[in-house]
Amino acid sequence: MVLQKDKENLKTLVVGGGSWGTALAILLARNQVPTLLWARDLAQVSAMILTRRNDRYLPQVPFPPSLEPIADLEGALSQTRQVLVTVPSCGFRPILERLAGRLSSHIPLIWATKGLEPGTGRLLHEVAVELLGSGWPMAVMSGPTFAHEVAVGLPTAVTVAATESEIATRFARCLHGDTFRVYTSDDLIGVQLGGAVKNVLAIAAGISDGLGFGANTRAALITRGLTELVRFALAWGGQKETLMGLSGLGDLVLTCTDDQSRNRRLGLALAQGKRLDEALTLIGQAVEGAAAAKVVVARAKQLAVEMPIAEQVYQVLYAGRHPRQAVELLCRREQKPEYAYMGYLLNEKR
Ligand SMILES: NC(=O)C1=CN([C@@H]2O[C@H](COP(=O)(O)OP(=O)(O)OC[C@H]3O[C@@H](n4cnc5c(N)ncnc54)[C@H](OP(=O)(O)O)[C@@H]3O)[C@@H](O)[C@H]2O)C=CC1
Ligand SMILES: O=C(CO)COP(=O)(O)O
């Protein structure tokens, strides 16, 4: 149990001043958790101190009094009781390399990043274990959460999975409030894979809608996408219940169906004939599914898991396949029983 007094003692450092880091810092501070928000760009930090908003990534949402933007990462670490990393997956290792050696061993590391390590395809907790050591208290939060909706206080629910239940419970209490609900879990693998793979599938949903296909197609993509996600996560050691929960199905539905999603918007732009680099520049924010498509497809091959939708997204992004042809190829796949993947759901060996 974390009392209000304890929350006030749980000064939290949010590392990453993008839309998600800012929304979470606002949420924590609104819950009376003293919160430091670090961004790598000094000019951005100075502007946030001056205007008490993040005009670059989350305009219109004022900072609560207990939120303090900060430019000195090392100085911030010396004051903090827990660290929440919110940079995109490409920045995860570099940030942890800066934190390692400066972070005291009892300070939990939590991240809200959704992705695998670009290049290696490793889970982010594997990167964290490599850099901080295996006994380090760590947790990941994930779920259906658009930053703006969280920042303005619309009701939202997430999952926090941790190496120790006490870490998850303590962090959950810091986030928990009238409009924010946190469920805890011990399935770090499942929670991370849900967040990483849904981004790839949201690109597929965007492509489908951008091509003018209908609600039937979108529902089929989400459902068959979930099948791929479950197969992949079970083969990796995740738990099926996790994939049916907020960090799996919940986030998949959210991201595939609403244009607040940057991954979905990437798919829409590709379907309209934009090149990948053009579309990414236009969106101008983290689009994790673009990097995730590469490593998810490579990992699926290693694990001998079929992921036809992710494979087609990869082909459109990196092999010049026309989006319309990708959809045709998916439809023309050999006929099979819907539950051919049931062995995975029952945790049977293939
Ligand atoms: N936005 C959302 O609704 C949600 C996002 N997420 C996840 O959160 C993560 C961050 O996304 P989000 O905040 O939306 O992204 P944004 O594009 O809004 O912001 C990215 C932020 O990360 C910073 N950054 C980028 N690379 C590095 C790096 N190498 N080192 C330090 N900082 C870096 C950027 O700094 P600069 O401005 O200087 O480039 C910027 O502050 C992603 O994994 C995303 O999937 C999860 C749930 C919801
Ligand atoms: O993760 C998110 C919602 O849960 C944000 O989705 P996008 O990164 O696609 O914008």
Side-chain angles (χ1 to χ4, degrees), residues 87-110:
V87 299
S89 56
C90 61
F92 192 77
R93 178 181 286 273
I95 279 294
L96 255 60
E97 281 168 350
R98 275 185 77 176
L99 299 181
R102 294 190 171 90
L103 204 55
S104 321
S105 57
H106 59 281
I107 304 285
L109 176 84
I110 304 142

Side-chain angles (χ1 to χ4, degrees), residues 15-24 38-42 44 54 56-58 85-92 94-95 98 112-115 124 141-150 195 198-199 251 254 260-263 283-289:
V15 178
S19 40
W20 194 213
T22 306
L24 289 174
W38 174 87
R40 63 178 172 179
D41 182 347
L42 194 58
Q44 188 198 355
N54 183 345
R56 188 184 295 177
Y57 287 105
L58 201 68
V85 172
T86 63
V87 299
S89 56
C90 61
F92 192 77
I95 279 294
R98 275 185 77 176
T113 307
K114 288 179 182 168
L124 299 184
M141 71 173 287
S142 197
T145 52
F146 287 130
H148 184 261
E149 295 193 9
V150 169
K198 67 85 187 175
N199 286 330
D251 209 359
L254 178 90
Q260 287 175 79
S261 163
R262 294 143 320 172
N263 287 286
I283 294 166
Q285 287 191 11
V287 184
E288 290 276 18

